[in-house]
Each structure stands twice: as structure tokens, then as C-alpha cells.
Amino acid sequence: MTILTMTNDIISWKSPSNIALIKYWGKHGVQLPQNASLSMTLKNAATNTELQYRHSPNDMEVQYFFDGERSQIFEEKVIIYLERLKSEMPFLGDYYLKFSSSNSFPHSAGIASSASSMSAMALCLVSMEEEVSGKKLAKSDFFKRASHIARLGSGSASRSVYGSWSTWGVAEGIKNSSDTYASPLDFSPHEVFSGLGDAILLVDTTPKKVSSSLGHHLMKVHPYATGRYRQAAMNLEALMVSMQVGDFDSFACVVENEALSLHGLLMTSSPEGLLLKPGSLQIIDAVRQFRNETRTKIAFTIDAGPNIHLLYPQTERENVMQFIENELLQYCENGRWIDDEIGDGPERMK
Ligand code: PMV
């Protein structure tokens, strides 16, 4: 194995993960969503990716390092992605590319890293495209292009190139919405949603048995698919109203319905995927009881895994911290959870 030595151009981006509140589950064509989704960009869970490149007389050559170590598994996936990208970015064929990535969140934290890693890589590639072509894009076009390139790697990554709130997918009521790239939410949500906290409760961090690619694929023949896409559109509309008027209760209702619908679809697909653990259900139960008894503004959402995200306005932080400490840590693997919140989006580091 030869290690490339580079004396050349370096680009580096830090890009965050995101958590979908209206879930993307089911795709068609080349990574096009069956329904529009809406997500909140996180602050602390992020990937740092550095790209070193130099001109190569031969074809594209790629090396991928993760946490300082060359990673064969990731490298193979990245090469497949970049080969597909050549039709979009033909210049890639003329370069040596060396990627070095690391995540800010701990290993095996049960946080999907595809959104942060693919968006960080896409941002590096679009910056490189600007540099090698000598054509600088307007800021909004830059992020639109990065979102499009990220989407080709992982659908949810298309939303991570923006801070705060993003939507992806054509939706009635969202101006200029597109299936090929995400956009920042086209209104400012009510202040109750600014600075929203996200406590990620780690119930089980063993690698999941059902990949999202398989999950999307299973939707192609899922008996509930049509109803699901209709439900997602209705939930998106309802969520945007809640966010505009500042109604946390109806926000919680929609967000929780989306999370449980995703898992309902998983459990009723063939082959089925049961990803929730007893601890996940115990947390859901405890959150609902706590909310009924204390009227605390708190909502749960869940990705395609057993871990639970608790969303809450900053005014509730003290209450929520006590609740986690007193009642929920018992359901977390080794008492672990991640303290995150809504973030400002990616940052160019070099
Ligand atoms: O982007 P993918 O292909 O990893 O799919 C993501 C699917 C969910 O995380 C379950 C939902 C979403 O919209 O992020």
C-alpha cells in the first residue's frame, strides 16, 4: 500500500449531524426522496474532514484516513461515491485526493455519522471545484451545490449543510423546494424553538441490524408506503404551523408521531426491523408521564435506532436535566447520554 505524500492544496470543513423531525424514509431514482423531510442541525455532533489534493497525470487516486488511520472499508465506499460523482465533477479524474476525517462525537455513540461525514466531504469537494475551476459561487449557490453533492452520498446529509432548520424534498407550501438539494427553512420559527436542546439518550450503541439503505429499499414494496407518504406531507404542514405559532404541544405531537411511524414502518416491513429496545420504550413512557404531570415542554424523536433524542426549549433545561438524572439514566447504556442542541451549521476550517 503506497501512502501519498502531498505538497499541495488543503481544504477542511467541519460539518454537523442533523436529526430529522419529519423523516425521509423511502427513495427512488438516484437518491431522490419519496417525501419531503425537515430536520434540526446539531451543534456538537460533527465531522471534521480535511481534503488534500494535487494534480495527477493518471486517473483519480483516493486515500481515506479515519482518526489518523487509513481505512480500507471507508475508502472503498468513498471511491464508489467519487466514481459516480465524476459525471458531475469531471475534474476529479485528474487528481490525487487524500481525505482525513474524524468525528467530534465518541465512537459507538449510536449517532448516525453519514449526515455529518458526507456533508463535510461534499463541502470539501465543492470548495475544491471552486479552486480548480477558478469560479467562485455566490454563497447560496455554493451551499445548494454542496447539498446536492452530499445528497448523492447520503440523503440526510443534504440537510446538514445549513444551520438551524432545513427541509429537503418538494413540498406544497415550501417555496423553491427541491428533491435534488435541501434548503434552509423558509421562515423563522417562533422564539420557543430558538436554542432548542437535544439530549441524546444512548440506550444501546451496538451497530444496528438494519441499514438505512435497506430500510429505504424495503419501502419500495411496503404495504403502507402510499399512506406513509401522505402522512409525511400532512405532518410536515402541521409541524410548520406549530413552529410558526410557537405551539410546543402540537409540535411534540407531530414529532413523536413521526418517530413512532418510522419504527412502525420498520417493524412492519419484510424482513422486519425491530430496532427499539425495552429501554427505548421505558423512556418514551417516562417522558409522556413526566410531561402530563409537570406540563414541561419536552418531546422525543428517534432515528433509525434505539436511542432517544429529547427536544426541549432552553427555559426547560434545568427541569429536563433533573428528569434525566433522576429517572432516565437507568435506561441508558452505562448511564451515557450526549448533551447537544440546535447548531449554526458547517464551518470552513482551512
Ligand atoms: O440519509 P440516509 O440514507 O442515511 O437515511 C436517513 C434516514 C433517517 O435518518 C431515518 C431519517 C432522516 O430523514 O434523516
Side-chain angles (χ1 to χ4, degrees):
M1 187 192 288
T2 49
I3 303 277
L4 296 177
T5 42
M6 304 241 179
T7 49
N8 39 36
D9 295 283
I10 299 185
I11 290 163
S12 165
W13 278 89
K14 177 181 178 185
S15 189
S17 189
N18 69 75
I19 177 73
L21 305 188
I22 302 294
K23 312 287 183 185
Y24 146 60
W25 200 240
K27 63 181 172 183
H28 64 98
V30 185
Q31 298 267 93
L32 298 168
Q34 288 285 9
N35 64 268
S37 54
L38 184 154
S39 62
M40 174 176 125
T41 301
L42 299 180
K43 186 175 191 172
N44 301 328
T47 299
N48 275 291
T49 297
E50 183 183 275
L51 166 60
Q52 294 184 48
Y53 65 92
R54 74 176 153 86
H55 207 266
S56 146
N58 307 315
D59 198 13
M60 177 175 82
E61 192 170 341
V62 179
Q63 292 184 341
Y64 191 93
F65 289 74
F66 187 72
D67 278 349
E69 302 263 323
R70 185 136 177 215
S71 161
Q72 207 72 38
I73 300 172
F74 288 143
E75 197 169 286
E76 279 164 19
K77 289 187 181 166
V78 167
I79 290 172
I80 294 171
Y81 168 63
L82 294 173
E83 284 294 341
R84 278 199 282 125
L85 268 189
K86 275 186 185 170
S87 56
E88 290 266 346
M89 297 181 142
F91 66 88
L92 290 175
D94 301 328
Y95 283 90
Y96 287 110
L97 306 164
K98 179 184 171 192
F99 295 94
S100 309
S101 266
S102 59
N103 292 337
S104 65
F105 43 95
H107 280 299
S108 335
I111 295 188
S113 58
S114 66
S116 54
S117 60
M118 292 313 303
S119 57
M121 182 174 287
L123 287 156
C124 288
L125 291 171
V126 178
S127 293
M128 176 182 171
E129 183 176 47
E130 281 194 331
E131 284 169 24
V132 301
S133 70
K135 285 188 203 127
K136 199 154 171 56
L137 296 170
K139 195 175 168 201
S140 64
D141 290 336
F142 176 88
F143 286 104
K144 200 182 271 188
R145 175 103 178 119
S147 175
H148 167 82
I149 296 296
R151 182 201 106 236
L152 296 171
S154 152
S156 55
S158 68
R159 300 183 307 243
S160 269
V161 307
Y162 303 108
S164 303
W165 306 95
S166 311
T167 60
W168 167 45
V170 172
E172 251 176 64
I174 303 183
K175 273 185 272 129
N176 305 321
S177 53
S178 168
D179 281 350
T180 60
Y181 54 83
S183 311
L185 193 64
D186 68 348
F187 63 89
S188 298
H190 186 277
E191 63 183 12
V192 73
F193 300 106
S194 48
L196 213 63
D198 180 6
I200 310 168
L201 305 177
L202 305 176
V203 174
D204 190 322
T205 62
T206 46
K208 57 184 180 184
K209 286 183 265 124
V210 184
S211 68
S212 53
S213 325
L214 176 60
H216 292 298
H217 182 72
L218 293 176
M219 284 303 285
K220 288 195 163 70
V221 290
H222 200 294
Y224 302 158
T226 313
R228 161 59 194 160
Y229 304 139
R230 208 176 319 124
Q231 175 201 36
M234 279 163 28
N235 276 347
L236 176 61
E237 243 179 85
L239 191 74
M240 291 196 298
V241 172
S242 311
M243 290 175 72
Q244 267 156 350
V245 301
D247 182 348
F248 197 92
D249 294 349
S250 60
F251 170 89
C253 199
V254 175
V255 165
E256 295 181 4
N257 177 265
E258 276 291 305
L260 296 176
S261 296
L262 168 68
H263 283 270
L265 290 164
L266 269 158
M267 284 186 251
T268 50
S269 57
S270 174
E272 56 81 22
L274 174 53
L275 299 181
L276 296 176
K277 297 285 176 193
S280 322
L281 298 179
Q282 276 162 316
I283 292 173
I284 292 171
D285 220 27
V287 167
R288 289 184 160 169
Q289 198 177 334
F290 172 71
R291 185 169 56 207
N292 282 342
E293 283 167 6
T294 63
R295 314 308 308 161
T296 300
K297 290 185 181 17
I298 186 169
F300 68 80
T301 185
I302 323 171
D303 208 357
N307 305 316
I308 308 285
H309 291 244
L310 292 184
L311 307 177
Y312 61 90
Q314 285 306 324
T315 47
E316 302 282 17
R317 184 167 167 89
E318 217 175 293
N319 265 344
V320 172
M321 292 302 112
Q322 256 172 35
F323 171 50
I324 294 174
E325 186 94 355
N326 298 341
E327 293 186 49
L328 303 182
L329 285 188
Q330 58 179 314
Y331 306 120
C332 299
E333 193 182 74
N334 304 318
R336 284 167 76 213
W337 67 284
I338 294 174
D339 193 0
D340 213 331
E341 61 187 289
I342 192 165
D344 295 334
E347 207 183 320
R348 182 157 179 180
M349 313 303 283
K350 278 183 203 159

